[in-house]
Amino acid sequence: MKTRVIKVDAQQPDPGVIEEAAAALREGKLVAFPTETVYGLGAHALDERAVQKIFDAKARPATDPLIVHIAHVGQVSQCAAAFPANARKLALTFWAGPLTLILPKKPVIPDLVTAGLPNVALRAPSHRVARALVETAGIPIAAPSANRFSRPSPTSAEHVKADLDGRIDLILDAGATDIGLESTIVDFSVDPPVVRRPGGLNYEQIHSLVPDVVLETGTGTESEAQVAPGQLARHYAPRAELTLYEGDPALVVRRIGADVRTAVAQGSKVGILAPEEDLTALAPIVASTASAGRVEVRPYGSRPDLERAAREFIAALRELDASGVNVIFASSPGREGLALAIRDRLSRAADGRIKTIV
């Protein structure tokens, strides 16, 4: 299969391009498209054969459910059998946007979409290309992130092409995504409702409207059906072995520095992924090992600017991985606001290799 890439303006998408992509979806083809969070890999959500192509292209286990994209709140009833008052409140406040709601599904949604579970994950994206595509297609679109399964999510068309070239039909290239983090998932199939995955919408924002909501992220395995995407213990992972460091930033920097020296002395090529402040503090250590070409560094935003950190960290992680490092040492930005979601992705990329420095 030859994958076509079509450039499209993020603010004023060409209606002809959107219609071409929408027609491809209606025909059962796979189309990668930008959302405000990450790039999604879309298929006709009500066509089980088309949905199966997503799992084949991504090498994704059928135990990991998909998010279904709709145009607006009014289309919830097409896919969901119930719409609790608090779920509606969140949708009316935060849609279109980076919020996914888990609701009881209607029979029209194939079991393949939901990992055989009785609930469906729905969201209405705010990116103009995504919205135009959903509206023009006139169908709900199942769309997980447009990458190979368990790899870091794509925030650019180049990331999609690197993972899925030759495996999907079409990529709509509208440049880098705005948020860089997947959507926040809130599960209303249980009482009280549960935030299953922190994401581009802060937990604090959700809690302000739904005070009884709780945070409960999973650490499941591929052998069992997952209640929501992003629950596996190992996910969003680079090829290099990643270790996550968290705690007091000054102590974290000191420990990363020591571990960098040890790893370089043992012959490893080391990548450092950290906010700008951490890399400034680590500069003398990096300089001392630079002559051997054994250390690569990539900043992702800064601790005071978590929105920029969210936009940058996936691209920085992918760049480090592509540079040929053996190990990556990453520092956590914390657990407040968007930092909670960044930390969640890094902890899963680390697959349990987390060092708490006190």
Side-chain angles (χ1 to χ4, degrees), residues 1-13:
M1 177 189 299
K2 180 176 176 56
T3 300
R4 297 175 59 216
V5 180
I6 302 179
K7 295 274 190 180
V8 59
D9 189 288
Q11 299 302 317
Q12 295 181 317

Side-chain angles (χ1 to χ4, degrees), residues 240-263:
E241 182 180 279
L242 186 145
T243 299
L244 177 63
Y245 296 75
E246 58 182 355
D248 179 88
L251 298 179
V252 165
V253 165
R254 190 179 307 164
R255 179 60 180 273
I256 289 178
D259 287 356
V260 166
R261 290 192 181 96
T262 299

Side-chain angles (χ1 to χ4, degrees), residues 9-32:
D9 189 288
Q11 299 302 317
Q12 295 181 317
D14 184 326
V17 171
I18 296 300
E19 175 52 45
E20 180 179 352
L25 287 168
R26 290 192 295 266
E27 293 166 7
K29 296 180 180 179
L30 298 184
V31 177

Side-chain angles (χ1 to χ4, degrees), residues 288-358:
S288 69
T289 56
S291 60
R294 308 301 296 179
V295 179
E296 293 279 345
V297 301
R298 294 293 187 281
Y300 70 92
S302 66
R303 295 179 188 277
D305 189 352
L306 292 173
E307 289 187 2
R308 184 162 67 91
R311 283 196 303 271
E312 295 178 356
F313 97 95
I314 290 178
L317 176 57
R318 280 180 167 264
E319 287 176 11
L320 269 183
D321 205 28
S323 72
V325 296
N326 309 112
V327 295
I328 297 173
F329 298 150
S331 62
S332 169
R335 298 195 184 204
E336 298 294 326
L338 286 176
L340 178 67
I342 298 171
R343 193 264 176 196
D344 174 78
R345 306 309 187 269
L346 290 173
S347 68
R348 296 180 194 278
D351 191 19
R353 292 178 295 272
I354 301 174
K355 295 185 179 181
T356 302
I357 313 303
V358 295

